[in-house]
Amino acid sequence: MSLSEDLAERLLSEIIDGTYPPDAVLPPEAELAERSSVSRLTVREAVKQLRAQNVVRVVRGRGTYVNPPDRWTALEAVVRAASRSSRASLSERLIEARRLIENGAAELAAVRRSDTDLTELREHLAAMRVAADAGDTEQFVQADIDFHDTVMRATGNLFVPLLFEPFGPLLAEGRRETSAVPQIRINAIAHHEEVLVALESGIPDQARRAMDTHMNQTADDYRTHVVKDTGHS
């Protein structure tokens, strides 16, 4: 990592942590250079990187201002900022994002999946059953993630599996939270079975509906068994 990249990363972390909230102005170039023991050119390069992600904006004659996260254009930075939100709010947003992408992925996978894809899906589902019986949350979570990853790869579109890559750690954390609840594991297995049957059928609309129903189940179970029972906010 270059000096400018390192400084850009530190500034982004301070922005996400609230040191510089939305619409706050960053310290002057000279102050940042002295504080970080770098040249003013390095500071300019760091700010340029943040501007390229629309994290900050430069107002001529006034300084460099922080933009609100909903205006940022770098997905990884947005994910990092979102992780500072309340757990319940973050989980709801992730489910919304999953619904938008995974419903379409299931629809496409229904007509493009190979026999190998279906075999892998059956293996992941079997692993989920074994893990549920053993009460092994980590194994269950991994098998669940592998199932959905296989669906996205089965679309035959190289871009689709990459869409959720920045969300990986957040998705895994959310699944650990829900999969620790036995009833949620039972519900999840039943809905994964329906998704598999729909993909086997090769009928796009059926696959989309099955995945959408699974997303509804995921959201309902989170509200019922996690938010309501534990008082998460």
Side-chain angles (χ1 to χ4, degrees):
M1 183 178 291
S2 67
L3 287 175
S4 62
E5 289 172 336
D6 180 66
L7 178 56
E9 170 63 25
R10 280 186 281 143
L11 287 172
L12 178 60
S13 294
E14 291 176 333
I15 289 169
I16 291 173
D17 289 342
T19 302
Y20 305 114
D23 295 320
V25 62
L26 294 183
E29 186 178 279
E31 182 180 332
L32 285 174
E34 182 178 359
R35 187 185 73 179
S36 303
S37 300
V38 297
S39 69
R40 295 179 67 162
L41 176 60
T42 296
V43 173
R44 284 194 290 273
E45 286 298 319
V47 171
K48 183 179 179 181
Q49 292 172 39
L50 294 178
R51 287 182 66 189
Q53 301 173 26
N54 211 36
V55 173
V56 300
R57 65 188 185 278
V58 175
V59 179
R60 188 178 298 277
R62 296 178 58 187
T64 301
Y65 289 79
V66 177
N67 287 326
D70 61 5
R71 293 177 56 186
W72 298 0
T73 56
L75 184 56
E76 184 177 351
V78 172
V79 171
R80 286 173 57 186
S83 67
R84 308 290 295 186
S85 305
S86 69
R87 182 68 225 176
S89 174
L90 178 60
S91 294
E92 293 281 354
R93 291 179 182 179
L94 282 173
I95 292 171
E96 288 174 352
R98 289 184 62 192
R99 185 192 302 277
L100 290 172
I101 296 172
E102 296 201 51
N103 288 0
E107 183 177 28
L108 192 57
V111 295
R112 293 186 176 177
R113 87 288 185 276
S114 65
D115 290 341
T116 299
D117 293 327
L118 293 177
T119 297
E120 289 184 9
L121 290 170
R122 295 183 190 109
E123 291 174 350
H124 298 323
L125 183 54
M128 290 176 68
R129 294 192 187 101
V130 170
D133 290 341
D136 189 332
T137 299
E138 285 298 321
Q139 182 181 344
F140 188 91
V141 167
Q142 188 58 58
D144 185 358
I145 290 173
D146 290 342
F147 184 99
H148 286 271
D149 284 348
T150 299
V151 172
M152 288 192 277
R153 289 199 311 274
T155 63
N157 186 314
L158 295 176
F159 297 111
V160 174
L162 299 176
L163 294 175
F164 269 121
E165 186 172 342
F167 299 97
L170 293 178
L171 289 170
E173 182 181 347
R175 280 182 165 98
R176 289 189 189 96
E177 188 174 33
T178 55
S179 298
V181 181
Q183 186 58 52
I184 292 182
R185 293 199 296 266
I186 293 172
N187 295 344
I189 288 173
H191 283 275
H192 280 77
E193 289 172 346
E194 292 299 321
V195 171
L196 176 56
V197 168
L199 291 173
E200 289 171 334
S201 76
I203 302 174
D205 288 346
Q206 183 177 335
R208 172 180 279 275
R209 288 195 301 270
M211 185 62 79
D212 190 54
T213 301
H214 173 37
M215 292 297 106
N216 287 336
Q217 165 258 317
T218 300
D220 291 343
D221 279 350
Y222 181 77
R223 298 186 195 104
T224 301
H225 297 286
V226 179
V227 176
K228 183 177 179 181
D229 291 349
T230 64
H232 277 22
S233 61

